[in-house]
């Protein structure tokens, strides 16, 4: 499991490697990423600046506490709120970027498929399908952010627990969304896609968590997004090829 998780992280690193070997290709993905980043920054920056007031409003019962305990509670709550916001913004960023930049990312994943060799998938992802997947990701992201916020209220370990759970769940969603285009091009149904993702659960999680952590770094999302699209194509190919090998082996022994 650990080896597979590390393989998922390594897949994202391979995507980053294209910044060195195919910089012009990945640069195509910067335009929609910058637009989405600016939109979300306009929302996150005010949130960060107003955390003090929000946490005070949420904890009026602590007004009479000793200053040290009151401040510790509100700082911890502020951290949880910001983590929840960052988790949600990472998923919204992905949905928004992939929707407005679909032509750019179509070209990236197709070029990666050609570089990997073998039969090239010829299917297309429709615009409305992309919009639908993006809306689904945003709704699920909101639920993850809400869960993260609730976990943050667990005494003592709430902050750490909320951060870990938030990153794991959002990373899983992120990997599913990013691999969607490569799977759609193969004509896979939702059930087939789910089975492939489940067959490499640890690898998918490693890829998604690594991408989500990069997204949480200031300006990291802009540079990471093209690399994540490239890496997700490699991930989809690896899962598909492994499933094909398993099926061939099973047929041989049947």
């Amino acid at each position: 499991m650990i080896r597979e998780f590390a393989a998922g992280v390594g897949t994202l690193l391979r995507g980053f490697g294209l910044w060195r070997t195919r910089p012009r290709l990945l640069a195509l993905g910067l335009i929609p990423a910058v637009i989405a980043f600016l939109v979300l920054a306009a929302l996150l920056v005010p949130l960060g600046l107003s955390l003090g007031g929000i946490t005070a409003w949420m904890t009026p019962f602590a007004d009479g506490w000793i200053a040290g305990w009151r401040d510790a509670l509100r700082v911890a709550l502020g951290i949880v709120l910001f983590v929840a916001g960052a988790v949600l913004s990472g998923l919204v960023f992905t949905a928004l970027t992939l929707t407005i930049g679909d032509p750019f990312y179509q070209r990236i994943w197709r070029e990666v498929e050609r570089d990997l060799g073998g039969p090239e998938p010829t299917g297309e992802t429709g615009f409305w399908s992309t919009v639908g997947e993006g809306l689904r990701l945003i709704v699920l992201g909101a639920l993850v952010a809400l869960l993260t916020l609730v976990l943050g209220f667990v005494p003592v370990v709430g902050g750490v627990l909320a951060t870990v759970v938030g990153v794991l769940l959002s990373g899983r969603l992120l990997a599913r969304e990013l691999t969607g285009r490569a799977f759609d091009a193969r004509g896979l149904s939702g059930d087939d896609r789910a089975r492939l993702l489940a067959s490499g659960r640890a690898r998918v999680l490693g890829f998604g968590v690594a991408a989500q952590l990069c997204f949480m770094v200031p300006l990291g999302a802009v540079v990471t997004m093209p690399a994540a699209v490239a890496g997700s194509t490699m991930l989809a190919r690896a899962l598909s090829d492994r499933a094909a090998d398993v099926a061939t082996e099973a047929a041989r022994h049947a």
Side-chain angles (χ1 to χ4, degrees):
M1 181 176 178
I2 295 177
R3 180 177 296 178
E4 279 288 286
F5 187 91
V9 176
T11 302
L12 179 63
L13 294 178
R14 288 175 61 197
F16 271 114
L18 292 184
W19 274 115
R20 179 175 56 83
T21 59
R22 303 288 297 277
R24 291 185 179 180
L25 176 64
L26 291 200
L28 291 173
L30 290 178
I31 299 172
V34 169
I35 295 173
F37 176 81
L38 292 176
V39 171
L40 290 176
L43 299 175
L44 272 182
V45 170
L47 172 64
L49 295 177
S50 59
L51 279 178
I54 294 174
T55 56
W57 172 78
M58 293 179 67
T59 57
F61 56 85
D63 288 342
W65 290 12
I66 297 173
W69 288 107
R70 181 186 64 234
D71 293 344
L73 171 67
R74 290 175 175 171
V75 167
L77 179 59
I79 292 173
V80 171
L81 284 171
F82 193 80
V83 169
V87 165
L88 178 59
S89 66
L91 296 174
V92 173
F93 171 84
T94 301
L96 182 60
T97 305
L98 290 178
T99 300
I100 64 179
D102 189 58
F104 299 96
Y105 296 119
Q106 288 274 359
R107 181 171 175 183
I108 290 175
W109 74 256
R110 287 193 183 281
E111 288 293 333
V112 172
E113 287 280 8
R114 294 188 185 104
D115 289 347
L116 292 173
E120 180 185 341
T122 57
E124 294 285 346
T125 300
F127 173 76
W128 291 113
S129 175
T130 300
V131 172
E133 284 293 322
L135 291 175
R136 177 183 180 277
L137 182 64
I138 291 173
V139 171
L140 292 176
L143 294 176
V144 171
L146 180 60
L147 175 61
T148 299
L149 184 58
V150 171
L151 291 175
F153 287 97
V154 175
V156 183
V157 298
V160 175
L161 181 63
T163 301
V164 172
V165 171
V167 170
L168 289 176
L169 291 180
S170 60
R172 181 73 171 77
L173 290 175
L174 192 61
R176 184 192 184 283
E177 178 68 15
L178 287 168
T179 53
R181 280 141 190 81
F183 284 149
D184 286 344
R186 289 170 166 78
L188 298 177
S189 66
D191 290 340
D192 290 337
R193 184 193 306 187
R195 279 193 289 270
L196 279 179
L197 292 172
S199 70
R201 187 173 288 108
R203 182 175 298 200
V204 170
L205 189 61
F207 174 84
V209 166
Q212 177 63 34
L213 290 175
C214 289
F215 279 12
M216 295 174 73
V217 175
L219 295 177
V222 174
V223 178
T224 301
M225 191 63 192
V229 170
S232 67
T233 306
M234 301 173 190
L235 177 62
R237 170 68 74 89
L239 295 176
S240 299
D241 288 350
R242 184 163 65 180
D245 291 343
V246 170
T248 300
E249 189 67 21
R252 183 180 303 167
H253 290 85

